Amino acid sequence: MFRQTMKSVLYGVGAIATAPLWLIERMSRRVAGRDVWFVTQSEILSLLPGRLGRILRNAYYKRVLESCPLHVCLQFGCLFAYSGVNVGRNVYLGLHSKVGLVDIGDRTIISDDVQLLSGAHQHATAESP
């Protein structure tokens, strides 16, 4: 019980600490109709080490991704390229994982250095239909 309460408090502090980032992104999206600062902020947060980094990433992504519960583990170097990502519960993304426009189901474990591409059109050329 105490441990769960402490986690909730830490996530609350993380939400407050990351508020300038996610508030700017959400307001910018309303004006521009697309991600504005998301990739830059994602890159910055991916470089924060340790437990503090994981808490801050969780707090930020909960507020800017399509869906992302607090009960995920986003390791150091984990980077999202688009905000339209859906992350399920109890997901683990390993070190230096790169995530495109995908849906990640509940209880998924993704190893270190994995790249999840955005589908068939990830590397389209001018000649592609």
Side-chain angles (χ1 to χ4, degrees), residues 48-57:
L48 299 174
R51 184 179 204 103
L52 177 63
R54 289 192 303 271
I55 290 168
L56 293 176
R57 282 187 287 280

Side-chain angles (χ1 to χ4, degrees), residues 27-46:
M27 287 188 292
S28 299
R29 276 189 210 163
R30 286 190 181 177
V31 173
R34 60 177 175 77
D35 292 343
V36 178
W37 298 104
F38 178 76
V39 173
T40 302
Q41 294 171 348
S42 182
E43 289 173 350
I44 292 167
L45 290 170
S46 75

Side-chain angles (χ1 to χ4, degrees), residues 6-73:
M6 285 306 297
K7 270 188 170 182
S8 296
V9 168
L10 289 173
Y11 286 130
V13 170
I16 293 167
T18 59
L21 297 176
W22 55 263
L23 284 170
I24 288 169
E25 176 58 22
R26 289 172 74 173
M27 287 188 292
S28 299
R29 276 189 210 163
R30 286 190 181 177
V31 173
R34 60 177 175 77
D35 292 343
V36 178
W37 298 104
F38 178 76
V39 173
T40 302
Q41 294 171 348
S42 182
E43 289 173 350
I44 292 167
L45 290 170
S46 75
L47 299 175
L48 299 174
R51 184 179 204 103
L52 177 63
R54 289 192 303 271
I55 290 168
L56 293 176
R57 282 187 287 280
N58 284 15
Y60 174 76
Y61 288 130
K62 175 159 180 54
R63 282 152 186 84
V64 296
L65 292 181
E66 191 73 29
S67 68
C68 182
L70 288 175
H71 301 289
V72 297
C73 183

